[in-house]
Amino acid sequence: MTTGLIPGEQPPDPRPTSGLPHQWREPVGHGIMPVENRPRSSVITARAAASFEPVGRSVASARSFVRDTLQGWGFADIVDDAVVLTSELVTNAVIHTSTWADLLCLRCDAGVRIEVTDRYPEREVPLRGPAADMGGPDREGGRGLQLCAALAGRWGVEYTPAHKTVWFQLDVPERPVGARSAGPVLPSELLPIADARVRVAVVQIDRIGAISSWNEDAEELFGYTVDQVIGKPLTDLAAWPHTPGTGTGIAEALQLSRWEGSYGIRDTTGRVIPVYASHLRVRDTDGDPSTVCLLVRDHERAVLQTPLRVPSDSAASSESQSTDPFEVFIGSPAPDDLDSLLQRTVERARDMLDGDSAFLLLATDDETELEVRASTGLPSTRQRFARVPVEAGSGRYSSARMPAVHDDLAALPGAVPLLNGTGMRSVVTVPLKVEGRLTGSLGVAAEGAGRYSNEEALRLQFAADRIALAVESARLGELERLRRGSLSFLVEASDLLAGTLDRDQTLALMAQMTVPTLATWCAVYTIADQASEPYLSYVLHEDEELIDGIKSLLSKIAPPDPVPTPGARVWSAPGEVAHQAALRTSMRSLGLSSSPGTRVAPGIGPTLTTASAVGGETVVLPLVARNRVIGMLTLGKPADEHFRQEILELAEDLSRRAALALDNARLYSERTAISQSLQRSLLPPELPVIEGVEVEVIYRAAGEGNEVGGDFYDLFPISDGAYGFAIGDVCGTGPNAAAVTGLARHALRLLAREGLSGPAVLERLNSAILDEGARSRFLTLLYGELRPQEDGSAELKVVCAGHPLPLRLRQDGTVEPAADPQPLLGVLEDLELYEQTVTLDPGDVLLCVTDGVTERREGTRMLGDDGLADVLTTCTGLTAGAVAARIMRAVERFASDAPSDDMAILTMRVPELHQN
């Protein structure tokens, strides 16, 4: 229900009847007054809306919103009344009813209609009665309706089950015909000073910038006659001031439809005369464009200068004196984060110029590109973070450094790439500058042609100047936070990459660090060598169900070229191929395929999902290490999304670190493979099977990645029925000790097969070791020859050169040394060694170990020979393999630390005879 008042009548005083809040009745003793319903005849030409939370500062924000909106619509005459009424109604809503207030401003032909809606419909206006019932001016409640009755041309209240709306309409006063603006009456001393006669030079410039008309005042001001200047470019006479951060000159200013400003004209003496100019672009009688320039001396600029549009704020002068011009446009309180600030900016700019869409772009650090950061009325997901060059950006004259107005984009397709395909026809763009440096561009567009002129450009530029510093400050704050986060990210990434030398794990880490932090999906290509093609090694998506689809798609596409040039480059192939595949699948599913006999696809879901996943921007970063491209890191976004410049810079830093880590992993893998291959060559390929004797060997090399160290063993056939065996320990561990190991093992085989006895074999091996010179190392060695006997026993001839003595375990459990100690090898030149014969009866075991077993330590304790013998006594009746395993388990359990020395265990056992 809506009630209203005819101007001059008392306000209504409705009261509820029978508990029904939406039913009103007339009081007894009063006639029925005519009620005006909401007017419907006016055509709404613009609207602006905002909502305010139930806090005290919302009242000031609402006042600023209404003031700024009406100023933008050119209704300065009624701003004061509108602000006062809005302040009272919003106060009632957010303070007295403690609900959100929805504010709607409607522009129509006759004036402005403002509606304030709260969410407390139970608070009704009183029933119609005497004016005294509304309360006095000092009363807290009801004052807003009294003000509406006093100031508004029309007003009313509407109720719904959930809302109450109070509206008022202010009519714009009629102005004298032709009056654009007027100033107050000023004292004589405040009027601008002029010469005895104010001269206005009228100069007309043709389409090529040459002077085609020059009046008498121009001759008087600058001294040139008509014949001297006709046909000459105005640029020859003009002294254009240089403005940092812009390339605009007199030639560009002459192309604008309207321009005002200051520059200089050189007279016949070469002296520069400062002038104030007003340019108007017109068409001459032939239809060609030309520019009419009105010029006066700069101190007489009041003759030509258009008065600045100054916001009127007399109704709240005490408040406006401390109001920040930024908050006048953006509202109070201002958003804290950059994205919210930019979004508020484009929405206010759109409403201020009654546009259908608006957008704001921020310049990159080098000012070469503009990046879309906020938009309204446009497909923001498609445009967000899209980049355009500054010098071929949103300006009409191929530069975003100056304001520009496009009357009809249909006449100049592609002039504003951001608006391609959006249906926008007219657009106005202005730069955001801080200290002469381009920081961004703000634009407002409309679906109709010819909606904007230079007047709107001036208003938008005024707003852009208000917010430029705040936007740049917020951008720098965001950039600083992003850079701090980037440093932390890179430090963590470096630690993770440095923590592994495994190639596959490095590839997985590269992808996991980029998804989803930097990109939605990632693919890593590797290049084995310069002659190899890039190979798709790893694919990751934040949704694991899409990985197989992306991997299948990329496997059908030629990989990107391995270009070593640093930086990210766009790769359009995945999106194009995915789009084509989705289109073909859709056509097959609809039975539209041109191929005869094509079966209808069972479903297009996976194909469309993959196309959407890779349909956004895809970039490729080279992985360069040691001046060679070893792969490519591919990052992608889903459909219609772009990468931020800061993210690409961070990805480039990560790719450099990842490339080095990947190359280190490759080199480590290659060197490990070579080392392991060489080490395996130092061990016997396999142990021979000896009839009548069980043999078992356990070998453990100390050091990570080592298969062979200073300890070694061997068992090999010498002749029919005879076998040589050896177990030794070269001083030290690692590759240097392994080199002597190889010499000893191969020399033993060669010398033994020459038929030499055990002492002779070791003496010649001793000479070979000494011949190595500085590379020689002393060696302890137990060498022997084994001959199985027909009676089931085995005969051994052994030489123990400085090595731990072999232990013999008899069937009765006794343990005793099986040889005597003799000098070690690699120290003395003349050795006198001898061999000893040992017979192993059935059931006996011979245990041979290196000192890594006997010198196993736990603090001050050492296993020693006695400890080893004690363990061996428990091995009676065990096989050779079981004896070796028990010895190794006892050694490992003796201490908690990992072994620091190589260990080798060789066991030989003669099986017991079984009687039938």
Side-chain angles (χ1 to χ4, degrees), residues 773-825:
R775 296 181 298 176
S776 66
R777 290 171 175 252
F778 63 81
L779 167 68
T780 67
L781 180 64
L782 172 65
Y783 173 75
E785 294 181 2
L786 169 66
R787 292 179 183 273
Q789 302 299 310
E790 294 181 358
D791 61 357
S793 64
E795 182 183 77
L796 288 77
K797 295 182 179 181
V798 297
V799 179
C800 186
H803 198 76
L805 299 180
L807 299 179
R808 176 180 180 179
L809 172 65
R810 294 183 181 272
Q811 279 187 307
D812 59 2
T814 58
V815 175
E816 59 184 5
D820 297 329
Q822 300 184 58
L824 52 77
L825 307 181

Side-chain angles (χ1 to χ4, degrees), residues 52 56-65 67 319 332:
F52 302 94
R57 63 176 182 270
S58 294
V59 179
S61 300
R63 288 197 295 267
S64 299
F65 174 76
R67 183 183 301 111
E319 177 183 341
S332 178

Side-chain angles (χ1 to χ4, degrees), residues 497 499-511 524-529 533-538 623 628 630-632 658-670 672:
L497 291 172
T500 179
L501 288 173
D502 182 82
R503 175 182 176 276
D504 293 336
Q505 189 174 359
T506 302
L507 290 173
L509 283 174
M510 290 171 57
V524 182
Y525 290 85
T526 57
I527 303 174
D529 51 61
E533 291 293 326
Y535 174 75
L536 182 61
S537 299
Y538 202 91
L623 299 175
R628 187 175 71 88
I630 63 171
M632 281 91 67
L660 188 59
L662 183 62
D663 198 46
N664 288 339
R666 177 188 63 82
L667 293 176
Y668 177 78
S669 299
E670 292 179 356
T672 300

